[in-house]
Amino acid sequence: MEKGILHGQVAIVTGGARGIGKSISLTLAQAGAKVLVNYNHSDSKAQELVNTIIGEGGEAVAVKGDVSSNSTAEELIKQALDNFGKVDILINNAGITRDNLLIRMKEEDWDQVINTNLKGMFLTTKAVLKPMLKQRSGRIINISSVIGLIGNPGQTNYGAAKAGVIGFTRSVAKEVAGRNILVNAIAPGYIATDMTNKLPENLKKTILSNIPLGRIGTAEEVAQVALFLASPAASYITGQTIVVDGGMVMQ
Ligand code: NAP
């Protein structure tokens, strides 16, 4: 692998084995980063991805764990340090949906979405700050959603979690800016992955009609923004949320 803009850097990608996370893992690895790919259920996909990265001349390891548990956060940091010696980049990508109208939403659907999408981010970020504060540098990139900005019927749990991600990002960014740790969020719009493939066809059509660019986005298009935010080119950007949505939400 050629020396890329992230040569020598170490990245952790939560939920990094499929969907947007997979694209981010690959893109960072192709830019020269050593990548710890976290996964929860996708054992074989994680191993395949690690093999692909190694086959391309990069370095990667897969580490299983549910991000909503603190032991996973501690383990991810430990494994990154044991395997690669440091952590420079954390991508908080793991996320789920459990959609229902609020009136029918079960408490467990609320808890699962908040615990995975928001609490998981708190736990991994808290754990990664120890080495990052010590080394006085780091990039943390949190995957939010346009739903956290504009809301969506049937997604009160997801909307609350994703709006929470933005508030969390801004507060942490202010706490750690003095140590040269930059914390930003990406709010993707409608991106082709397993998460959106399961939407009903009529809903997909309605969403598409509200996208000025007239098409669904790709995981690669989100990964390129993550790469930018992780790269030296983004050295003066912190506390921001970059919307990647084909123009769906213009503010
Ligand atoms: P996806 O294809 O459904 O993939 C979800 C990923 O999250 C998988 O890698 C999964 O890992 C991981 N994950 C879920 N629960 C986890 C847990 N408890 N611990 C560790 N990993 C866990 O979804 P996606 O579309 O790529 O979504 C990725 C992120 O982008 C999410 O935060 C999502 O909310 C956000 N997003 C997506 C869209 C979109 O249109 N697709 C739009 C806006 C925001 P396993 O398979 O190993 O369980």
Side-chain angles (χ1 to χ4, degrees):
M1 197 170 281
E2 278 176 38
K3 277 193 184 177
I5 47 171
L6 298 183
H7 177 72
Q9 308 239 338
V10 176
I12 295 175
V13 184
T14 69
R18 64 188 177 90
I20 291 171
K22 177 184 178 184
S23 260
I24 294 176
S25 299
L26 258 179
T27 302
L28 299 185
Q30 286 164 354
K34 299 167 189 174
V35 182
L36 183 150
V37 178
N38 157 253
Y39 65 97
N40 192 22
H41 295 113
S42 299
D43 299 66
S44 56
K45 286 189 175 155
Q47 205 44 60
E48 252 171 57
L49 178 61
V50 164
N51 292 343
T52 303
I53 291 172
I54 292 171
E56 289 179 6
E59 283 186 57
V61 289
V63 179
K64 188 177 174 80
D66 176 347
V67 290
S68 64
S69 127
N70 190 41
S71 56
T72 298
E74 298 290 340
E75 184 62 14
L76 295 184
I77 309 312
K78 183 181 180 299
Q79 289 289 338
L81 295 175
D82 287 354
N83 281 279
F84 304 131
K86 58 178 185 152
V87 194
D88 303 292
I89 300 159
L90 168 66
I91 313 282
N92 281 310
N93 164 78
I96 56 166
T97 52
R98 293 285 180 272
D99 298 352
N100 218 331
L101 292 175
L102 181 57
I103 199 117
R104 293 195 207 116
M105 187 172 288
K106 293 192 190 112
E107 190 178 341
E108 69 188 67
D109 292 336
W110 174 270
D111 286 345
Q112 275 185 17
V113 167
I114 299 292
N115 287 345
T116 304
N117 299 40
L118 189 56
K119 185 183 170 193
M121 181 166 295
F122 153 70
L123 293 171
T124 47
T125 303
K126 187 177 168 191
V128 87
L129 279 182
K130 287 170 205 158
M132 282 185 178
L133 286 167
K134 227 190 255 175
Q135 81 184 15
R136 292 179 173 267
S137 68
R139 298 289 172 95
I140 300 172
I141 296 153
N142 299 325
I143 307 299
S144 176
S145 165
V146 289
I147 306 307
L149 296 168
I150 60 173
N152 196 25
Q155 291 199 307
T156 48
N157 49 0
Y158 188 75
K162 293 304 193 184
V165 168
I166 294 170
F168 175 81
T169 298
R170 291 175 176 155
S171 294
V172 188
K174 288 189 174 179
E175 282 189 23
V176 298
R179 293 284 180 106
N180 193 31
I181 301 167
L182 280 52
V183 191
N184 291 289
I186 298 175
Y190 178 26
I191 308 297
T193 66
D194 295 342
M195 185 177 275
T196 47
N197 283 347
K198 65 188 179 195
L199 295 174
E201 282 310 313
N202 57 343
L203 181 56
K204 285 186 189 169
K205 274 196 188 133
T206 311
I207 301 173
L208 262 180
S209 69
N210 286 311
I211 302 176
L213 286 182
R215 64 174 177 84
I216 188 166
T218 64
E220 291 73 23
E221 287 172 312
V222 178
Q224 286 302 322
V225 178
L227 173 61
F228 165 67
L229 287 173
S231 76
S235 55
Y236 201 51
I237 301 177
T238 196
Q240 304 303 314
T241 298
I242 311 235
V243 179
V244 183
D245 70 343
M248 204 158 98
V249 179
M250 295 191 189
Q251 291 181 312

